[in-house]
Amino acid sequence: MPGTNWAGNVSYAARRRHRPSSLDEVRRLVAGSDRVRAIGTGHSFNRLGDTAGDLVSLAGLPATVALDPDRGTVSVPAAMRYGDLAARLHERGYALANLASLPHISVAGAVATGTHGSGETVGNLATAVAGLELVTADGDLLTVDRAADGDTFAGMVVSLGALGVVTRLTLDVVPAYDLRQYVRLGLPREALDAAFASAYSVSVFTDFRGPRLREVWLKQHADAAPPPADWLGTTAADGPRHPVPGLPAENCTAQLGAPGPWHERLPHFRLGFTPSSGDELQSEYHVPRGAGAAALAALEPVAHLIAPVLQVCELRAVAADGLWLSPNHGRDSLALHFTWVADPAAVLPVVAAVEEQLAPFVPRPHWGKVFGLAPAAVASAWPRYADFLDLVSRLDPAGKFRTDLLDRYFPRS
Ligand SMILES: Cc1cc2nc3c(=O)[nH]c(=O)nc-3n(C[C@H](O)[C@H](O)[C@H](O)COP(=O)(O)OP(=O)(O)OC[C@H]3O[C@@H](n4cnc5c(N)ncnc54)[C@H](O)[C@@H]3O)c2cc1C
């Protein structure tokens, strides 16, 4: 198990690390520990996944994938990476509705933080969850289901790891589909909404250095007409691109309109290659979609602070959902993502400036990335915040799954 997160900015403080190979072992471990935390692939950028106690990776549990074509679901082990799951689903003619920018992350870790891709009609990855199996504080195995457990279930999916150790998840599947990916250059800002409406999944990249948005990555169904030459006033990229200027396009999924399976087009980055730049910090804020253009404009006065510490900014659309702690709870969202340079001292003041500018739009931070919002701002951004606090105290009365970061944002009453 690694001693730091993927980015290297967090050294795990756990006094013991474990890699159990059976469910019983996980149950015994949780029951016998006073402080315990599950870890996925460690791709988060903050201390949410850390603990001073026992850190548990579930990567040693059996990798059984059980497809249920009648229900349209698949049951997967918590630690499985999306890339590995996607290949197995595709072989059998199935797919997931969406994926994040990278296939390297674990299903449970991504779901716990409300990880998302892009697509104005598509929810984040947690919205595909139809069932959960978790080991709760006393070592019991709890199974919850979307149909049977309704509202409480909606509170348990984006869990921040605070409710227990998730051992398996059941996800909705759809028939496999093919996509084509096109990269277009120089989008006028006023065309942002039209761009999001034009394809299944759309990512817009900008650098805060010019009036136009630098690149648009369109991921559209393979049988849809390709964008015309003058699409929204942009030009076609003359070759494959990497979102971070100057980095090798080889790390990225195929572009230039080549058709290919969903899991080889929806992520920007390929399994087996370094995603993003590999030397970075990340922050991200979700604002209401209708206020997206205004939120982007509100960052202009601090563009001179952002640009020098920015590798790239990505704008994505995410559909609203009902999951209590989802960044997209109750609102169609524009996600403003920042890939920063790997220098916390230079980046943190800029993160604070971004948060101040976005404050009027009630920004919801990505739970797994760098943010510094005041606890009161976080509490007031989620209408079901108090219900989640209540759920945590019911399922984990002794605070076994707590971390410093959870104590800051979800203090015990
Ligand atoms: C290069 C890069 C690109 C990224 N791109 C995107 C993107 O496109 N969209 C996006 O939204 N995010 C993105 N992220 C962020 C990433 O998706 C999240 O940080 C996600 O949580 C990482 O999953 P993980 O398996 O590494 O989780 P970890 O960082 O290992 O853990 C995250 C949280 O989940 C909890 N957890 C993990 N496993 C379990 C379990 N079995 N039971 C209970 N709790 C558990 C942990 O305790 C922790 O609190 C990116 C990150 C990187 C490094």
Side-chain angles (χ1 to χ4, degrees), residues 2 14 72 95 98 102 137 140 169 257 284 293 303 327 394 409:
N98 214 349
L102 76 174
D140 285 348
L169 302 94
E284 189 164 30
R394 272 195 285 130
Y409 286 102

Side-chain angles (χ1 to χ4, degrees), residues 7 22 46 57 60 65 85 124 126 132 153 183 193 203 242 279 302 316 319 324 352 384 391-392 402 405:
S22 72
N46 59 31
S57 162
V65 171
L85 170 63
N124 66 37
L132 290 171
F153 178 78
V183 176
D193 283 338
S203 286
H242 189 293
D279 191 14
V302 293
R316 287 177 281 186
W324 295 2
R384 303 299 298 269
L391 193 56
V392 174
R402 288 196 154 266
L405 198 138

Side-chain angles (χ1 to χ4, degrees), residues 5-7 12 37-45 48-50 55-56 58 78-79 99-102 104-117 159-162 164-167 268-269 275-278 280 282 284 286 314 316 337 366-369:
N5 65 341
W6 173 86
Y12 297 124
R37 198 79 191 154
I39 191 78
T41 55
H43 282 77
S44 294
F45 290 86
L48 185 64
D50 197 17
L55 193 63
V56 188
L58 302 186
L99 290 170
S101 72
L102 76 174
H104 308 59
I105 50 178
S106 79
V107 176
V111 165
T113 60
T115 288
H116 62 96
S159 69
L160 315 184
V165 174
V166 175
T167 49
H268 306 326
F269 306 109
S276 195
S277 85
E280 66 197 69
Q282 294 186 9
E284 189 164 30
H286 294 251
E314 180 177 8
R316 287 177 281 186
H337 159 95
H366 189 306
W367 292 114
K369 299 186 180 180

Side-chain angles (χ1 to χ4, degrees), residues 61-124:
L61 259 59
T64 317
V65 171
L67 191 64
D68 184 340
D70 293 336
R71 279 189 69 199
T73 58
V74 64
S75 161
V76 306
M80 180 164 267
R81 298 183 307 172
Y82 274 98
D84 300 319
L85 170 63
R88 290 172 74 164
L89 282 178
H90 191 71
E91 265 168 27
R92 300 193 54 188
Y94 289 92
L96 299 171
N98 214 349
L99 290 170
S101 72
L102 76 174
H104 308 59
I105 50 178
S106 79
V107 176
V111 165
T113 60
T115 288
H116 62 96
S118 191
E120 62 176 15
T121 60
V122 197
N124 66 37

Side-chain angles (χ1 to χ4, degrees), residues 160-234:
L160 315 184
L163 305 176
V165 174
V166 175
T167 49
R168 292 192 70 82
L169 302 94
T170 302
L171 306 178
D172 295 329
V173 293
V174 296
Y177 50 94
D178 284 344
L179 297 172
R180 296 176 194 266
Q181 180 162 238
Y182 296 93
V183 176
R184 306 286 309 197
L185 309 179
L187 183 76
R189 281 169 181 252
E190 58 277 15
L192 186 63
D193 283 338
F196 281 128
S198 67
Y200 183 66
S201 174
V202 177
S203 286
V204 177
F205 293 95
T206 182
D207 48 17
F208 287 91
R209 288 181 186 275
R212 290 195 171 219
L213 303 168
R214 206 188 64 227
E215 277 178 24
V216 187
W217 290 36
L218 293 170
K219 298 163 194 268
Q220 61 180 53
H221 286 294
D223 55 4
D230 60 349
W231 181 77
L232 296 179
T234 62

